[in-house]
Amino acid sequence: QVQLVQSGGGSVQAGDSLRLSCAASGRTFSAMAWFRQAPGKERGFVATISRNGDSTYYAGSVKGRFTISRDHAKNTVYLQMNSLKPEDTAVYYCAASTRFAGVMLTTGAYDYWGQGTQVTVSS
């Protein structure tokens, strides 16, 4: 059974850090990414990493604060979030592609999704 299981998240103060993890099972994936969805908003792109991990891309709102990485041995992708702001509050989803190896910014490029995890940042 192919699945993505997320962990991490929670409630923190502005300026704090959190790390999200997404463990894949059932197969290996090409590009992987994180998206987020705030209440009343569409799911939006946060960060993506290529299959071999040599390319990454970030949304402008998180660049310089968030870092995406992957561990092939553990079949896991991470999102390190530093200097968190209240506007980072959202449900975060990891995503995995079976079709694309490079960095992909759109939801349509991804075939599997994690269950979502809440991140709440208070001021």
PDB file of all heavy atoms in Angstrom, residues 23-64:
ATOM      1  N   ALA A  23       6.920  10.511   5.719  1.00  0.00           N
ATOM      2  CA  ALA A  23       7.519   9.208   5.425  1.00  0.00           C
ATOM      3  C   ALA A  23       6.692   8.487   4.372  1.00  0.00           C
ATOM      4  O   ALA A  23       5.489   8.266   4.562  1.00  0.00           O
ATOM      5  CB  ALA A  23       7.618   8.375   6.690  1.00  0.00           C
ATOM      6  N   ALA A  24       7.346   8.129   3.290  1.00  0.00           N
ATOM      7  CA  ALA A  24       6.670   7.418   2.210  1.00  0.00           C
ATOM      8  C   ALA A  24       6.875   5.915   2.359  1.00  0.00           C
ATOM      9  O   ALA A  24       7.932   5.464   2.812  1.00  0.00           O
ATOM     10  CB  ALA A  24       7.219   7.877   0.866  1.00  0.00           C
ATOM     11  N   SER A  25       5.876   5.165   1.972  1.00  0.00           N
ATOM     12  CA  SER A  25       5.989   3.715   2.004  1.00  0.00           C
ATOM     13  C   SER A  25       5.294   3.130   0.789  1.00  0.00           C
ATOM     14  O   SER A  25       4.414   3.757   0.197  1.00  0.00           O
ATOM     15  CB  SER A  25       5.369   3.154   3.281  1.00  0.00           C
ATOM     16  OG  SER A  25       4.002   3.475   3.351  1.00  0.00           O
ATOM     17  N   GLY A  26       5.716   1.965   0.399  1.00  0.00           N
ATOM     18  CA  GLY A  26       5.091   1.285  -0.725  1.00  0.00           C
ATOM     19  C   GLY A  26       5.812   1.452  -2.040  1.00  0.00           C
ATOM     20  O   GLY A  26       5.650   0.630  -2.946  1.00  0.00           O
ATOM     21  N   ARG A  27       6.567   2.529  -2.187  1.00  0.00           N
ATOM     22  CA  ARG A  27       7.346   2.768  -3.389  1.00  0.00           C
ATOM     23  C   ARG A  27       8.221   3.986  -3.161  1.00  0.00           C
ATOM     24  O   ARG A  27       8.039   4.712  -2.192  1.00  0.00           O
ATOM     25  CB  ARG A  27       6.463   2.989  -4.613  1.00  0.00           C
ATOM     26  CG  ARG A  27       5.585   4.231  -4.540  1.00  0.00           C
ATOM     27  CD  ARG A  27       5.042   4.585  -5.918  1.00  0.00           C
ATOM     28  NE  ARG A  27       6.102   5.022  -6.805  1.00  0.00           N
ATOM     29  CZ  ARG A  27       6.011   4.982  -8.126  1.00  0.00           C
ATOM     30  NH1 ARG A  27       4.909   4.530  -8.707  1.00  0.00           N
ATOM     31  NH2 ARG A  27       7.014   5.392  -8.878  1.00  0.00           N
ATOM     32  N   THR A  28       9.155   4.215  -4.059  1.00  0.00           N
ATOM     33  CA  THR A  28       9.943   5.445  -4.032  1.00  0.00           C
ATOM     34  C   THR A  28       9.329   6.437  -5.008  1.00  0.00           C
ATOM     35  O   THR A  28       8.607   6.060  -5.946  1.00  0.00           O
ATOM     36  CB  THR A  28      11.407   5.178  -4.415  1.00  0.00           C
ATOM     37  OG1 THR A  28      11.440   4.571  -5.707  1.00  0.00           O
ATOM     38  CG2 THR A  28      12.068   4.254  -3.397  1.00  0.00           C
ATOM     39  N   PHE A  29       9.620   7.719  -4.776  1.00  0.00           N
ATOM     40  CA  PHE A  29       9.002   8.762  -5.560  1.00  0.00           C
ATOM     41  C   PHE A  29      10.044   9.633  -6.234  1.00  0.00           C
ATOM     42  O   PHE A  29      11.211   9.648  -5.867  1.00  0.00           O
ATOM     43  CB  PHE A  29       8.111   9.630  -4.667  1.00  0.00           C
ATOM     44  CG  PHE A  29       6.892   8.904  -4.175  1.00  0.00           C
ATOM     45  CD1 PHE A  29       6.865   8.353  -2.908  1.00  0.00           C
ATOM     46  CD2 PHE A  29       5.780   8.771  -4.986  1.00  0.00           C
ATOM     47  CE1 PHE A  29       5.755   7.686  -2.456  1.00  0.00           C
ATOM     48  CE2 PHE A  29       4.659   8.104  -4.545  1.00  0.00           C
ATOM     49  CZ  PHE A  29       4.654   7.556  -3.274  1.00  0.00           C
ATOM     50  N   SER A  30       9.607  10.390  -7.213  1.00  0.00           N
ATOM     51  CA  SER A  30      10.470  11.347  -7.913  1.00  0.00           C
ATOM     52  C   SER A  30      10.420  12.678  -7.151  1.00  0.00           C
ATOM     53  O   SER A  30      10.807  12.727  -5.999  1.00  0.00           O
ATOM     54  CB  SER A  30      10.039  11.446  -9.359  1.00  0.00           C
ATOM     55  OG  SER A  30      10.267  10.215 -10.019  1.00  0.00           O
ATOM     56  N   ALA A  31       9.901  13.735  -7.774  1.00  0.00           N
ATOM     57  CA  ALA A  31       9.814  15.011  -7.071  1.00  0.00           C
ATOM     58  C   ALA A  31       8.880  14.893  -5.872  1.00  0.00           C
ATOM     59  O   ALA A  31       7.888  14.170  -5.903  1.00  0.00           O
ATOM     60  CB  ALA A  31       9.309  16.091  -8.017  1.00  0.00           C
ATOM     61  N   MET A  32       9.226  15.656  -4.823  1.00  0.00           N
ATOM     62  CA  MET A  32       8.363  15.725  -3.652  1.00  0.00           C
ATOM     63  C   MET A  32       8.221  17.187  -3.255  1.00  0.00           C
ATOM     64  O   MET A  32       9.050  18.025  -3.631  1.00  0.00           O
ATOM     65  CB  MET A  32       8.914  14.884  -2.506  1.00  0.00           C
ATOM     66  CG  MET A  32       9.008  13.403  -2.853  1.00  0.00           C
ATOM     67  SD  MET A  32       9.393  12.340  -1.455  1.00  0.00           S
ATOM     68  CE  MET A  32       7.816  12.325  -0.583  1.00  0.00           C
ATOM     69  N   ALA A  33       7.183  17.474  -2.492  1.00  0.00           N
ATOM     70  CA  ALA A  33       6.907  18.872  -2.204  1.00  0.00           C
ATOM     71  C   ALA A  33       6.074  19.024  -0.945  1.00  0.00           C
ATOM     72  O   ALA A  33       5.535  18.046  -0.411  1.00  0.00           O
ATOM     73  CB  ALA A  33       6.180  19.518  -3.384  1.00  0.00           C
ATOM     74  N   TRP A  34       5.986  20.257  -0.516  1.00  0.00           N
ATOM     75  CA  TRP A  34       5.074  20.646   0.556  1.00  0.00           C
ATOM     76  C   TRP A  34       4.155  21.746   0.034  1.00  0.00           C
ATOM     77  O   TRP A  34       4.604  22.679  -0.644  1.00  0.00           O
ATOM     78  CB  TRP A  34       5.854  21.157   1.765  1.00  0.00           C
ATOM     79  CG  TRP A  34       6.612  20.094   2.482  1.00  0.00           C
ATOM     80  CD1 TRP A  34       7.916  19.746   2.285  1.00  0.00           C
ATOM     81  CD2 TRP A  34       6.112  19.239   3.517  1.00  0.00           C
ATOM     82  NE1 TRP A  34       8.262  18.716   3.119  1.00  0.00           N
ATOM     83  CE2 TRP A  34       7.183  18.395   3.897  1.00  0.00           C
ATOM     84  CE3 TRP A  34       4.888  19.102   4.163  1.00  0.00           C
ATOM     85  CZ2 TRP A  34       7.042  17.428   4.885  1.00  0.00           C
ATOM     86  CZ3 TRP A  34       4.756  18.145   5.149  1.00  0.00           C
ATOM     87  CH2 TRP A  34       5.828  17.318   5.512  1.00  0.00           C
ATOM     88  N   PHE A  35       2.890  21.629   0.382  1.00  0.00           N
ATOM     89  CA  PHE A  35       1.890  22.646   0.101  1.00  0.00           C
ATOM     90  C   PHE A  35       1.209  22.997   1.426  1.00  0.00           C
ATOM     91  O   PHE A  35       1.347  22.279   2.421  1.00  0.00           O
ATOM     92  CB  PHE A  35       0.841  22.112  -0.890  1.00  0.00           C
ATOM     93  CG  PHE A  35       1.359  21.939  -2.289  1.00  0.00           C
ATOM     94  CD1 PHE A  35       2.152  20.848  -2.624  1.00  0.00           C
ATOM     95  CD2 PHE A  35       1.046  22.866  -3.280  1.00  0.00           C
ATOM     96  CE1 PHE A  35       2.640  20.683  -3.917  1.00  0.00           C
ATOM     97  CE2 PHE A  35       1.526  22.699  -4.574  1.00  0.00           C
ATOM     98  CZ  PHE A  35       2.315  21.612  -4.885  1.00  0.00           C
ATOM     99  N   ARG A  36       0.469  24.087   1.436  1.00  0.00           N
ATOM    100  CA  ARG A  36      -0.276  24.446   2.637  1.00  0.00           C
ATOM    101  C   ARG A  36      -1.602  25.078   2.272  1.00  0.00           C
ATOM    102  O   ARG A  36      -1.757  25.655   1.187  1.00  0.00           O
ATOM    103  CB  ARG A  36       0.539  25.380   3.529  1.00  0.00           C
ATOM    104  CG  ARG A  36       0.817  26.751   2.948  1.00  0.00           C
ATOM    105  CD  ARG A  36       1.775  27.517   3.860  1.00  0.00           C
ATOM    106  NE  ARG A  36       2.067  28.854   3.357  1.00  0.00           N
ATOM    107  CZ  ARG A  36       2.961  29.679   3.916  1.00  0.00           C
ATOM    108  NH1 ARG A  36       3.642  29.299   4.992  1.00  0.00           N
ATOM    109  NH2 ARG A  36       3.164  30.877   3.405  1.00  0.00           N
ATOM    110  N   GLN A  37      -2.533  24.954   3.189  1.00  0.00           N
ATOM    111  CA  GLN A  37      -3.861  25.513   2.956  1.00  0.00           C
ATOM    112  C   GLN A  37      -4.349  26.171   4.232  1.00  0.00           C
ATOM    113  O   GLN A  37      -4.538  25.518   5.257  1.00  0.00           O
ATOM    114  CB  GLN A  37      -4.830  24.420   2.514  1.00  0.00           C
ATOM    115  CG  GLN A  37      -6.173  24.929   2.080  1.00  0.00           C
ATOM    116  CD  GLN A  37      -6.986  23.868   1.352  1.00  0.00           C
ATOM    117  OE1 GLN A  37      -6.705  22.675   1.411  1.00  0.00           O
ATOM    118  NE2 GLN A  37      -8.001  24.305   0.626  1.00  0.00           N
ATOM    119  N   ALA A  38      -4.561  27.477   4.131  1.00  0.00           N
ATOM    120  CA  ALA A  38      -5.111  28.243   5.239  1.00  0.00           C
ATOM    121  C   ALA A  38      -6.634  28.258   5.118  1.00  0.00           C
ATOM    122  O   ALA A  38      -7.174  28.055   4.027  1.00  0.00           O
ATOM    123  CB  ALA A  38      -4.551  29.658   5.228  1.00  0.00           C
ATOM    124  N   PRO A  39      -7.340  28.524   6.216  1.00  0.00           N
ATOM    125  CA  PRO A  39      -8.803  28.543   6.157  1.00  0.00           C
ATOM    126  C   PRO A  39      -9.319  29.520   5.118  1.00  0.00           C
ATOM    127  O   PRO A  39      -8.880  30.675   5.053  1.00  0.00           O
ATOM    128  CB  PRO A  39      -9.192  28.977   7.575  1.00  0.00           C
ATOM    129  CG  PRO A  39      -8.063  28.547   8.425  1.00  0.00           C
ATOM    130  CD  PRO A  39      -6.834  28.718   7.588  1.00  0.00           C
ATOM    131  N   GLY A  40     -10.223  29.061   4.290  1.00  0.00           N
ATOM    132  CA  GLY A  40     -10.816  29.918   3.277  1.00  0.00           C
ATOM    133  C   GLY A  40      -9.953  30.180   2.066  1.00  0.00           C
ATOM    134  O   GLY A  40     -10.335  30.960   1.187  1.00  0.00           O
ATOM    135  N   LYS A  41      -8.799  29.533   1.987  1.00  0.00           N
ATOM    136  CA  LYS A  41      -7.889  29.749   0.861  1.00  0.00           C
ATOM    137  C   LYS A  41      -7.622  28.439   0.139  1.00  0.00           C
ATOM    138  O   LYS A  41      -7.825  27.359   0.675  1.00  0.00           O
ATOM    139  CB  LYS A  41      -6.575  30.359   1.348  1.00  0.00           C
ATOM    140  CG  LYS A  41      -6.725  31.748   1.939  1.00  0.00           C
ATOM    141  CD  LYS A  41      -5.370  32.353   2.230  1.00  0.00           C
ATOM    142  CE  LYS A  41      -5.507  33.775   2.749  1.00  0.00           C
ATOM    143  NZ  LYS A  41      -4.187  34.395   3.036  1.00  0.00           N
ATOM    144  N   GLU A  42      -7.146  28.561  -1.093  1.00  0.00           N
ATOM    145  CA  GLU A  42      -6.775  27.381  -1.855  1.00  0.00           C
ATOM    146  C   GLU A  42      -5.433  26.827  -1.367  1.00  0.00           C
ATOM    147  O   GLU A  42      -4.643  27.550  -0.758  1.00  0.00           O
ATOM    148  CB  GLU A  42      -6.680  27.725  -3.337  1.00  0.00           C
ATOM    149  CG  GLU A  42      -8.011  28.100  -3.970  1.00  0.00           C
ATOM    150  CD  GLU A  42      -7.898  28.302  -5.469  1.00  0.00           C
ATOM    151  OE1 GLU A  42      -6.773  28.280  -5.991  1.00  0.00           O
ATOM    152  OE2 GLU A  42      -8.954  28.469  -6.107  1.00  0.00           O
ATOM    153  N   ARG A  43      -5.221  25.571  -1.660  1.00  0.00           N
ATOM    154  CA  ARG A  43      -3.943  24.950  -1.318  1.00  0.00           C
ATOM    155  C   ARG A  43      -2.854  25.593  -2.170  1.00  0.00           C
ATOM    156  O   ARG A  43      -2.975  25.681  -3.405  1.00  0.00           O
ATOM    157  CB  ARG A  43      -4.001  23.449  -1.577  1.00  0.00           C
ATOM    158  CG  ARG A  43      -2.827  22.681  -1.033  1.00  0.00           C
ATOM    159  CD  ARG A  43      -3.063  21.179  -1.118  1.00  0.00           C
ATOM    160  NE  ARG A  43      -4.239  20.779  -0.348  1.00  0.00           N
ATOM    161  CZ  ARG A  43      -4.592  19.511  -0.140  1.00  0.00           C
ATOM    162  NH1 ARG A  43      -3.850  18.527  -0.649  1.00  0.00           N
ATOM    163  NH2 ARG A  43      -5.677  19.220   0.555  1.00  0.00           N
ATOM    164  N   GLY A  44      -1.780  26.043  -1.518  1.00  0.00           N
ATOM    165  CA  GLY A  44      -0.718  26.753  -2.217  1.00  0.00           C
ATOM    166  C   GLY A  44       0.638  26.106  -2.041  1.00  0.00           C
ATOM    167  O   GLY A  44       0.905  25.438  -1.038  1.00  0.00           O
ATOM    168  N   PHE A  45       1.481  26.328  -3.005  1.00  0.00           N
ATOM    169  CA  PHE A  45       2.824  25.764  -3.046  1.00  0.00           C
ATOM    170  C   PHE A  45       3.712  26.370  -1.967  1.00  0.00           C
ATOM    171  O   PHE A  45       3.678  27.586  -1.723  1.00  0.00           O
ATOM    172  CB  PHE A  45       3.432  26.022  -4.427  1.00  0.00           C
ATOM    173  CG  PHE A  45       4.902  25.731  -4.507  1.00  0.00           C
ATOM    174  CD1 PHE A  45       5.377  24.438  -4.581  1.00  0.00           C
ATOM    175  CD2 PHE A  45       5.809  26.788  -4.502  1.00  0.00           C
ATOM    176  CE1 PHE A  45       6.731  24.189  -4.649  1.00  0.00           C
ATOM    177  CE2 PHE A  45       7.170  26.544  -4.578  1.00  0.00           C
ATOM    178  CZ  PHE A  45       7.636  25.246  -4.642  1.00  0.00           C
ATOM    179  N   VAL A  46       4.532  25.527  -1.341  1.00  0.00           N
ATOM    180  CA  VAL A  46       5.487  25.994  -0.340  1.00  0.00           C
ATOM    181  C   VAL A  46       6.924  25.722  -0.798  1.00  0.00           C
ATOM    182  O   VAL A  46       7.747  26.624  -0.867  1.00  0.00           O
ATOM    183  CB  VAL A  46       5.243  25.316   1.023  1.00  0.00           C
ATOM    184  CG1 VAL A  46       6.325  25.728   2.024  1.00  0.00           C
ATOM    185  CG2 VAL A  46       3.863  25.662   1.553  1.00  0.00           C
ATOM    186  N   ALA A  47       7.226  24.441  -1.087  1.00  0.00           N
ATOM    187  CA  ALA A  47       8.592  24.069  -1.446  1.00  0.00           C
ATOM    188  C   ALA A  47       8.574  22.740  -2.186  1.00  0.00           C
ATOM    189  O   ALA A  47       7.680  21.924  -1.981  1.00  0.00           O
ATOM    190  CB  ALA A  47       9.470  23.962  -0.206  1.00  0.00           C
ATOM    191  N   THR A  48       9.588  22.537  -3.034  1.00  0.00           N
ATOM    192  CA  THR A  48       9.705  21.287  -3.763  1.00  0.00           C
ATOM    193  C   THR A  48      11.163  20.881  -3.875  1.00  0.00           C
ATOM    194  O   THR A  48      12.061  21.735  -3.813  1.00  0.00           O
ATOM    195  CB  THR A  48       9.078  21.405  -5.170  1.00  0.00           C
ATOM    196  OG1 THR A  48       9.210  20.159  -5.864  1.00  0.00           O
ATOM    197  CG2 THR A  48       9.751  22.485  -5.992  1.00  0.00           C
ATOM    198  N   ILE A  49      11.393  19.593  -4.024  1.00  0.00           N
ATOM    199  CA  ILE A  49      12.743  19.062  -4.154  1.00  0.00           C
ATOM    200  C   ILE A  49      12.733  18.003  -5.247  1.00  0.00           C
ATOM    201  O   ILE A  49      11.792  17.211  -5.352  1.00  0.00           O
ATOM    202  CB  ILE A  49      13.256  18.506  -2.808  1.00  0.00           C
ATOM    203  CG1 ILE A  49      14.732  18.117  -2.890  1.00  0.00           C
ATOM    204  CG2 ILE A  49      12.398  17.350  -2.317  1.00  0.00           C
ATOM    205  CD1 ILE A  49      15.369  17.900  -1.517  1.00  0.00           C
ATOM    206  N   SER A  50      13.794  18.004  -6.037  1.00  0.00           N
ATOM    207  CA  SER A  50      13.882  17.064  -7.145  1.00  0.00           C
ATOM    208  C   SER A  50      14.168  15.646  -6.658  1.00  0.00           C
ATOM    209  O   SER A  50      14.472  15.421  -5.482  1.00  0.00           O
ATOM    210  CB  SER A  50      14.988  17.502  -8.106  1.00  0.00           C
ATOM    211  OG  SER A  50      16.237  17.518  -7.429  1.00  0.00           O
ATOM    212  N   ARG A  51      14.073  14.709  -7.587  1.00  0.00           N
ATOM    213  CA  ARG A  51      14.240  13.300  -7.231  1.00  0.00           C
ATOM    214  C   ARG A  51      15.579  13.039  -6.559  1.00  0.00           C
ATOM    215  O   ARG A  51      15.638  12.325  -5.554  1.00  0.00           O
ATOM    216  CB  ARG A  51      14.099  12.421  -8.472  1.00  0.00           C
ATOM    217  CG  ARG A  51      14.305  10.933  -8.195  1.00  0.00           C
ATOM    218  CD  ARG A  51      13.970  10.104  -9.413  1.00  0.00           C
ATOM    219  NE  ARG A  51      14.744  10.476 -10.589  1.00  0.00           N
ATOM    220  CZ  ARG A  51      14.451  10.092 -11.829  1.00  0.00           C
ATOM    221  NH1 ARG A  51      13.374   9.346 -12.049  1.00  0.00           N
ATOM    222  NH2 ARG A  51      15.203  10.450 -12.831  1.00  0.00           N
ATOM    223  N   ASN A  52      16.668  13.583  -7.105  1.00  0.00           N
ATOM    224  CA  ASN A  52      17.970  13.295  -6.504  1.00  0.00           C
ATOM    225  C   ASN A  52      18.382  14.329  -5.465  1.00  0.00           C
ATOM    226  O   ASN A  52      19.485  14.263  -4.935  1.00  0.00           O
ATOM    227  CB  ASN A  52      19.044  13.167  -7.593  1.00  0.00           C
ATOM    228  CG  ASN A  52      19.179  14.419  -8.417  1.00  0.00           C
ATOM    229  OD1 ASN A  52      18.631  15.459  -8.065  1.00  0.00           O
ATOM    230  ND2 ASN A  52      19.905  14.346  -9.515  1.00  0.00           N
ATOM    231  N   GLY A  53      17.516  15.283  -5.205  1.00  0.00           N
ATOM    232  CA  GLY A  53      17.758  16.238  -4.135  1.00  0.00           C
ATOM    233  C   GLY A  53      18.681  17.385  -4.487  1.00  0.00           C
ATOM    234  O   GLY A  53      18.989  18.210  -3.617  1.00  0.00           O
ATOM    235  N   ASP A  54      19.085  17.489  -5.753  1.00  0.00           N
ATOM    236  CA  ASP A  54      20.049  18.540  -6.088  1.00  0.00           C
ATOM    237  C   ASP A  54      19.387  19.858  -6.473  1.00  0.00           C
ATOM    238  O   ASP A  54      20.060  20.874  -6.646  1.00  0.00           O
ATOM    239  CB  ASP A  54      20.981  18.080  -7.210  1.00  0.00           C
ATOM    240  CG  ASP A  54      20.236  17.834  -8.509  1.00  0.00           C
ATOM    241  OD1 ASP A  54      18.997  17.735  -8.480  1.00  0.00           O
ATOM    242  OD2 ASP A  54      20.895  17.731  -9.561  1.00  0.00           O
ATOM    243  N   SER A  55      18.076  19.857  -6.602  1.00  0.00           N
ATOM    244  CA  SER A  55      17.348  21.092  -6.929  1.00  0.00           C
ATOM    245  C   SER A  55      16.199  21.287  -5.962  1.00  0.00           C
ATOM    246  O   SER A  55      15.472  20.343  -5.639  1.00  0.00           O
ATOM    247  CB  SER A  55      16.796  21.016  -8.359  1.00  0.00           C
ATOM    248  OG  SER A  55      17.839  20.969  -9.301  1.00  0.00           O
ATOM    249  N   THR A  56      16.043  22.512  -5.516  1.00  0.00           N
ATOM    250  CA  THR A  56      14.920  22.886  -4.660  1.00  0.00           C
ATOM    251  C   THR A  56      14.349  24.204  -5.148  1.00  0.00           C
ATOM    252  O   THR A  56      15.031  24.973  -5.850  1.00  0.00           O
ATOM    253  CB  THR A  56      15.346  23.038  -3.187  1.00  0.00           C
ATOM    254  OG1 THR A  56      16.385  24.032  -3.099  1.00  0.00           O
ATOM    255  CG2 THR A  56      15.850  21.730  -2.602  1.00  0.00           C
ATOM    256  N   TYR A  57      13.127  24.459  -4.759  1.00  0.00           N
ATOM    257  CA  TYR A  57      12.486  25.732  -5.120  1.00  0.00           C
ATOM    258  C   TYR A  57      11.487  26.067  -4.033  1.00  0.00           C
ATOM    259  O   TYR A  57      10.827  25.188  -3.493  1.00  0.00           O
ATOM    260  CB  TYR A  57      11.790  25.612  -6.479  1.00  0.00           C
ATOM    261  CG  TYR A  57      11.379  26.948  -7.051  1.00  0.00           C
ATOM    262  CD1 TYR A  57      12.274  27.712  -7.778  1.00  0.00           C
ATOM    263  CD2 TYR A  57      10.090  27.443  -6.840  1.00  0.00           C
ATOM    264  CE1 TYR A  57      11.899  28.948  -8.285  1.00  0.00           C
ATOM    265  CE2 TYR A  57       9.716  28.670  -7.346  1.00  0.00           C
ATOM    266  CZ  TYR A  57      10.619  29.423  -8.061  1.00  0.00           C
ATOM    267  OH  TYR A  57      10.260  30.646  -8.558  1.00  0.00           O
ATOM    268  N   TYR A  58      11.396  27.377  -3.721  1.00  0.00           N
ATOM    269  CA  TYR A  58      10.552  27.820  -2.617  1.00  0.00           C
ATOM    270  C   TYR A  58       9.605  28.922  -3.061  1.00  0.00           C
ATOM    271  O   TYR A  58       9.929  29.747  -3.926  1.00  0.00           O
ATOM    272  CB  TYR A  58      11.426  28.344  -1.481  1.00  0.00           C
ATOM    273  CG  TYR A  58      12.347  27.305  -0.894  1.00  0.00           C
ATOM    274  CD1 TYR A  58      13.633  27.130  -1.396  1.00  0.00           C
ATOM    275  CD2 TYR A  58      11.929  26.495   0.160  1.00  0.00           C
ATOM    276  CE1 TYR A  58      14.484  26.164  -0.865  1.00  0.00           C
ATOM    277  CE2 TYR A  58      12.773  25.536   0.708  1.00  0.00           C
ATOM    278  CZ  TYR A  58      14.042  25.383   0.186  1.00  0.00           C
ATOM    279  OH  TYR A  58      14.877  24.431   0.725  1.00  0.00           O
ATOM    280  N   ALA A  59       8.475  28.968  -2.395  1.00  0.00           N
ATOM    281  CA  ALA A  59       7.595  30.124  -2.551  1.00  0.00           C
ATOM    282  C   ALA A  59       8.308  31.336  -1.975  1.00  0.00           C
ATOM    283  O   ALA A  59       9.060  31.228  -1.002  1.00  0.00           O
ATOM    284  CB  ALA A  59       6.282  29.882  -1.822  1.00  0.00           C
ATOM    285  N   GLY A  60       8.064  32.484  -2.561  1.00  0.00           N
ATOM    286  CA  GLY A  60       8.744  33.688  -2.108  1.00  0.00           C
ATOM    287  C   GLY A  60       8.497  34.001  -0.645  1.00  0.00           C
ATOM    288  O   GLY A  60       9.372  34.544   0.044  1.00  0.00           O
ATOM    289  N   SER A  61       7.316  33.649  -0.163  1.00  0.00           N
ATOM    290  CA  SER A  61       6.952  33.980   1.209  1.00  0.00           C
ATOM    291  C   SER A  61       7.723  33.171   2.253  1.00  0.00           C
ATOM    292  O   SER A  61       7.752  33.546   3.431  1.00  0.00           O
ATOM    293  CB  SER A  61       5.454  33.761   1.411  1.00  0.00           C
ATOM    294  OG  SER A  61       5.112  32.416   1.129  1.00  0.00           O
ATOM    295  N   VAL A  62       8.340  32.066   1.836  1.00  0.00           N
ATOM    296  CA  VAL A  62       9.063  31.225   2.800  1.00  0.00           C
ATOM    297  C   VAL A  62      10.548  31.129   2.498  1.00  0.00           C
ATOM    298  O   VAL A  62      11.307  30.588   3.308  1.00  0.00           O
ATOM    299  CB  VAL A  62       8.469  29.800   2.860  1.00  0.00           C
ATOM    300  CG1 VAL A  62       6.975  29.852   3.114  1.00  0.00           C
ATOM    301  CG2 VAL A  62       8.784  28.999   1.608  1.00  0.00           C
ATOM    302  N   LYS A  63      10.973  31.621   1.362  1.00  0.00           N
ATOM    303  CA  LYS A  63      12.375  31.519   0.975  1.00  0.00           C
ATOM    304  C   LYS A  63      13.262  32.184   2.005  1.00  0.00           C
ATOM    305  O   LYS A  63      12.995  33.296   2.447  1.00  0.00           O
ATOM    306  CB  LYS A  63      12.590  32.148  -0.401  1.00  0.00           C
ATOM    307  CG  LYS A  63      13.948  31.852  -1.000  1.00  0.00           C
ATOM    308  CD  LYS A  63      14.019  32.352  -2.432  1.00  0.00           C
ATOM    309  CE  LYS A  63      15.344  31.989  -3.069  1.00  0.00           C
ATOM    310  NZ  LYS A  63      15.434  32.452  -4.468  1.00  0.00           N
ATOM    311  N   GLY A  64      14.312  31.474   2.396  1.00  0.00           N
ATOM    312  CA  GLY A  64      15.230  31.978   3.410  1.00  0.00           C
ATOM    313  C   GLY A  64      14.847  31.590   4.818  1.00  0.00           C
ATOM    314  O   GLY A  64      15.660  31.709   5.738  1.00  0.00           O
TER     315      GLY A  64
END
